[in-house]
Amino acid sequence: MMQFRDLNRQYEALKAEIDKGIQEVISSSAFISGRQVEALEEELAQYVGLRHCIACGNGTDALSMSLRAWDLKAGDCAFVPDFTFFASAEAVAFEGAIPIFVDVDQRTFNMDPVKLEDAIRKVLVEGKLVPRAVVTVDLFGLPADYDAILPIAEKYGLKVLEDGAQGFGGELRGRRACSFGDISTTSFFPAKPLGCYGDGGAIFTDDDDTADYLRSIRVHGKGAYKYDNVRIGRNSRLDTLQAAILLPKLHAFISHERDEVNHAAARYTEGLREWVITPCFDERFISSWAQYTIQVESEQIRNDLQRHLKLSCIPTMVYYPIPMHQQKAFSDLGKTEGSYEVSERLCKTVLALPMHPYLEEAEIDFVVEKIRDFYEGTRI
């Protein structure tokens, strides 16, 4: 049966290296903070192009720790895309601040810079909250439009936290995702472009003081050594086993996996552009294709197409069915009706297709064929 993201096929391709890495950790018994963690941090920092990488327990911790480094607190606000995973906004609320939701671009799915500036101006006019940060999201593997967003953030004196949980490996003008924010983060959840076999995350920054602070709070606010606790922190370390698994995966990602998902995406687009709205972005960008997401005409057509594909054992997913401003957890924030038109439409019309580096051309062609069959059948 076709897999949505085939981790078993990836494991078979990388089995020798992954098994060797796991066995080395078991033999050493250095399960926490082993040498593989530091090696991974060094390689990740070099790949992204920043001085510091701080591995941690998961991508949500990475976001929350980063906002804590800026002392985000009650009375502050941060601007977050309305069309994203819950953690992007949850981390802001967890620190006591208010997430202000911003609608997205209908073709890239990422934060709309024009609407970002509108939202900032509105908060400043109201005068109830202090704007502190923009939490950009590199959704589905594509970096946000930092050419437009970074000047806006600078204009209003806002920090930029890049949520690169899905964007690792993407590029804008040759610069890699996870390097655009004052602080940037990623996730190693198994289904991400670079995923481990459990939870894991990382934070990237060029600022030495910020890096020192983050290394402290990920281990209970430690100072010179583990029993010297200089601040209140948390327990958010990346296990050595996960680092050992990620090292060969990182090498494969760099050597061929990103190229393979781009080949798969191009084949999907060529076969589907006549029938559905396919992902679209300009030549400034390279995506790492965490998801290949199409848009259809309506929620009913989306649901019918999803059922049609399921009959052929083709797995699909809806990322995301509920925009942030409609999440029950944020119901006390209030909302402006009509301000999130694109996000609301996307939640009803997007559908993600199988995508991973080991997807075979015949499998892609089969998915394309079944989608064409669906549309040809509906037009009879």
Side-chain angles (χ1 to χ4, degrees):
M1 180 177 175
M2 187 182 302
Q3 299 295 311
F4 186 75
R5 193 165 188 93
D6 201 328
L7 299 178
N8 287 332
R9 199 176 294 180
Q10 182 193 48
Y11 171 65
E12 289 302 320
L14 306 177
K15 185 178 188 301
E17 297 97 321
I18 291 175
D19 287 357
K20 180 182 178 183
I22 291 173
Q23 188 57 55
E24 287 176 352
V25 175
I26 294 173
S27 297
S28 71
S29 296
F31 298 111
I32 302 296
S33 301
R35 62 174 181 80
Q36 290 87 347
V37 175
E38 184 176 354
L40 178 68
E41 289 176 331
E42 291 176 356
E43 292 196 28
L44 287 169
Q46 182 178 11
Y47 177 75
V48 167
L50 296 182
R51 288 204 304 273
H52 302 286
C53 172
I54 301 93
C56 60
N58 55 73
T60 304
D61 277 0
L63 291 169
S64 185
M65 289 164 61
S66 300
L67 292 170
R68 183 181 293 189
W70 293 337
D71 191 29
L72 196 76
K73 57 187 181 299
D76 296 338
C77 70
F79 300 89
V80 184
D82 193 47
F83 186 66
T84 185
F85 181 60
F86 187 70
S88 305
E90 179 185 35
V92 174
F94 188 75
E95 297 304 314
I98 301 297
I100 303 294
F101 302 119
V102 179
D103 208 0
V104 299
D105 181 271
Q106 62 184 347
R107 294 306 301 274
T108 67
F109 309 110
N110 282 328
M111 180 182 282
D112 185 323
V114 173
K115 293 176 182 177
L116 168 63
E117 187 159 21
D118 289 344
I120 295 170
R121 288 173 174 169
K122 182 178 178 181
V123 169
L124 290 172
V125 169
E126 290 179 347
K128 297 178 181 178
L129 297 168
V130 178
R132 291 286 310 281
V134 180
V135 181
T136 57
V137 177
D138 303 334
L139 202 67
F140 301 155
L142 185 72
D145 188 356
Y146 294 102
D147 285 350
I149 291 173
L150 293 180
I152 293 171
E154 183 177 7
K155 177 180 178 180
Y156 293 97
L158 305 179
K159 295 284 191 180
V160 173
L161 174 58
E162 179 186 2
D163 180 351
Q166 298 179 25
F168 185 85
E171 293 185 15
L172 169 58
R173 297 189 188 279
R175 183 174 168 184
R176 291 191 173 121
C178 299
S179 72
F180 292 99
D182 295 286
I183 302 176
S184 302
T185 69
T186 197
S187 167
F188 301 129
F189 183 80
K192 302 301 184 187
L194 179 65
C196 60
Y197 290 165
D199 271 323
I203 309 170
F204 300 88
T205 184
D206 259 344
D207 186 85
D208 296 341
D209 291 339
T210 299
D212 288 344
Y213 176 84
L214 292 168
R215 291 189 179 103
S216 170
I217 65 169
R218 73 172 170 182
V219 188
H220 303 287
K222 76 178 183 68
Y225 64 104
K226 68 181 293 186
Y227 298 115
D228 174 31
N229 305 103
V230 299
R231 55 178 61 89
I232 301 300
R234 64 178 67 196
N235 180 17
S236 186
R237 298 167 295 195
L238 181 69
D239 289 344
T240 309
L241 277 169
Q242 301 298 348
I245 291 163
L246 283 165
L247 281 165
K249 284 195 168 197
L250 174 61
H251 302 157
F253 180 86
I254 294 171
S255 69
H256 64 89
E257 285 189 352
R258 195 191 72 166
D259 292 340
E260 292 298 332
V261 291
N262 273 276
H263 175 77
R267 196 171 184 92
Y268 267 138
T269 299
E270 181 63 29
L272 293 174
R273 58 171 43 135
E274 178 183 350
W275 308 94
V276 298
I277 299 175
T278 55
C280 180
F281 46 87
D282 63 51
E283 65 279 358
R284 294 175 299 156
F285 294 92
I286 296 174
S287 179
S288 59
W289 297 104
Q291 313 294 345
Y292 186 91
T293 300
I294 61 173
Q295 299 177 53
V296 299
E297 297 89 332
S298 68
E299 186 174 18
Q300 184 61 57
I301 291 175
R302 193 261 304 281
N303 294 343
D304 290 345
L305 175 58
Q306 192 170 31
R307 282 192 291 268
H308 173 80
L309 295 175
K310 186 177 181 179
L311 290 174
S312 296
C313 298
I314 297 172
T316 58
M317 294 289 289
V318 175
Y319 300 106
Y320 297 97
I322 305 175
M324 287 298 99
H325 75 275
Q326 291 181 356
Q327 292 286 357
K328 183 177 180 180
F330 295 129
S331 60
D332 60 332
L333 299 182
K335 63 181 179 181
T336 303
E337 296 295 341
S339 296
Y340 310 103
E341 177 184 353
V342 175
S343 294
E344 289 175 357
R345 183 171 67 252
L346 291 175
C347 287
K348 296 178 180 178
T349 60
V350 294
L351 188 65
L353 305 179
M355 172 57 78
H356 56 84
Y358 302 91
L359 196 62
E360 297 176 357
E361 289 187 351
E363 293 174 311
I364 298 169
D365 294 344
F366 181 67
V367 175
V368 170
E369 175 189 347
K370 293 303 176 182
I371 292 175
R372 287 177 171 175
D373 288 347
F374 171 82
Y375 276 95
E376 288 175 345
T378 61
R379 292 177 182 179
I380 296 174

